[in-house]
Amino acid sequence: MRLQGKVALVTGAAGGIGLATAELFDREGAIVVASDIEPPPKPYPSSIERVHHDVTSEEQWATVVGAIVKKHGRLDVLINNAGIIAYEPLDKLEMKEWLQMIAVDQTGVFLGMREAVRVMRKQQSGSIVNISSIWGTAAVAGAHSYHAAKGAVRNMSKNAAMTYVADGIRVNSVHPGFIHTPLTDAQEPKLNEAVIAMTPMKRGGKPLEIAYGCLYLASDEASYVTGIELNIDGGYLAQ
């Protein structure tokens, strides 16, 4: 029960890393609000609260966080997980594709942190975990907008960590390597095989392996941890 009594909001919780994190937090005693623009493939346990949530909407962020505070009185943990991926190189990237990526993967994180910080400053406590990527640190050919957004999340997290450290708010980023999720399962197998081949452990990760990293950062066990990049990547970034 490492999160006993804590109120946690997990975005992008209909599948993959978000779903694994929401379910793990629930097992660890948290009051979990799971948000996504899509419903989960199967119902959540009755103890998890589901909310429809478009992370690109400023109004919906205010509504979702406001409802959590009204019902539970606080917000202790935010997991900014909702995201999309695309692989267009710079010269073939259309403006609408660029704007969509930035809206979901970067602006969604900004809006989430802003709403959470406004609550957590009043509490003088809280933990924010932003899901970046190995490609927020290292680069491969193509995927220009994804690299841009995830790289921004990396530094946005550090900025917020330094800005609000005196308010008892911890902000960290998690950088997954290749993880088997519905998002990656929908990709070309050859693309997935190429990333796994570049991973020293020679396998893809499981969503639960990322969820356990989020659990540590959300818990009081990480009370002296802020501004870090937690790489959970099978050794990819150690090369």
Side-chain angles (χ1 to χ4, degrees):
M1 306 299 282
R2 295 161 69 184
L3 297 178
Q4 181 66 44
K6 292 186 182 294
V7 180
L9 170 60
V10 181
T11 71
I17 293 169
L19 177 58
T21 301
E23 292 180 337
L24 177 62
F25 281 20
D26 178 59
R27 294 194 298 271
E28 291 291 342
I31 299 167
V32 178
V33 178
S35 87
D36 205 300
I37 200 168
E38 300 289 344
K42 61 180 182 179
Y44 294 121
S46 59
S47 51
I48 294 179
E49 303 173 23
R50 175 181 174 261
V51 61
H52 180 272
H53 183 195
D54 177 356
V55 297
T56 69
S57 168
E58 184 175 14
E59 293 76 15
Q60 287 193 30
W61 266 110
T63 298
V64 168
V65 173
I68 291 171
V69 174
K70 182 176 181 181
K71 181 174 182 179
H72 300 291
R74 58 190 301 109
L75 176 63
D76 299 296
V77 179
L78 169 63
I79 308 297
N80 263 323
N81 167 72
I84 58 175
I85 191 168
Y87 292 94
E88 289 82 6
L90 176 61
D91 64 308
K92 295 181 180 179
L93 186 61
E94 298 291 337
M95 179 60 77
K96 65 179 181 180
E97 296 165 340
W98 167 267
L99 292 175
Q100 182 185 27
M101 178 63 68
I102 297 303
V104 177
D105 285 21
Q106 182 179 348
T107 302
V109 171
F110 152 68
L111 292 171
M113 286 201 295
R114 189 180 68 175
E115 290 301 319
V117 161
R118 288 171 174 173
V119 175
M120 292 174 177
R121 287 191 75 193
K122 294 176 182 177
Q123 301 169 177
Q124 289 291 287
S125 67
S127 174
I128 298 173
V129 180
N130 296 321
I131 305 300
S132 180
S133 168
I134 52 173
W135 290 349
T137 301
V140 293
H144 183 78
S145 61
Y146 186 75
H147 279 80
K150 291 302 187 178
V153 168
R154 177 182 180 229
N155 274 338
M156 289 161 63
S157 301
K158 292 178 182 295
N159 171 268
M162 296 301 96
T163 303
Y164 301 106
V165 65
D167 295 296
I169 302 170
R170 297 183 296 103
V171 186
N172 297 287
S173 58
V174 170
H175 298 249
F178 180 87
I179 307 299
H180 291 288
T181 70
L183 194 67
T184 56
D185 289 345
Q187 297 176 161
E188 288 290 332
K190 288 184 178 180
L191 175 61
N192 296 344
E193 291 165 7
V195 180
I196 291 172
M198 292 188 288
T199 301
M201 286 190 176
K202 303 303 180 187
R203 70 170 178 88
K206 304 171 185 176
L208 187 59
E209 292 176 305
I210 307 303
Y212 271 112
C214 294
L215 173 62
Y216 167 68
L217 293 173
S219 76
D220 292 338
E221 297 163 16
S223 58
Y224 197 50
V225 179
T226 196
I228 73 159
E229 304 163 35
L230 178 57
N231 302 320
I232 308 176
D233 63 357
Y236 187 102
L237 290 176
Q239 301 176 95

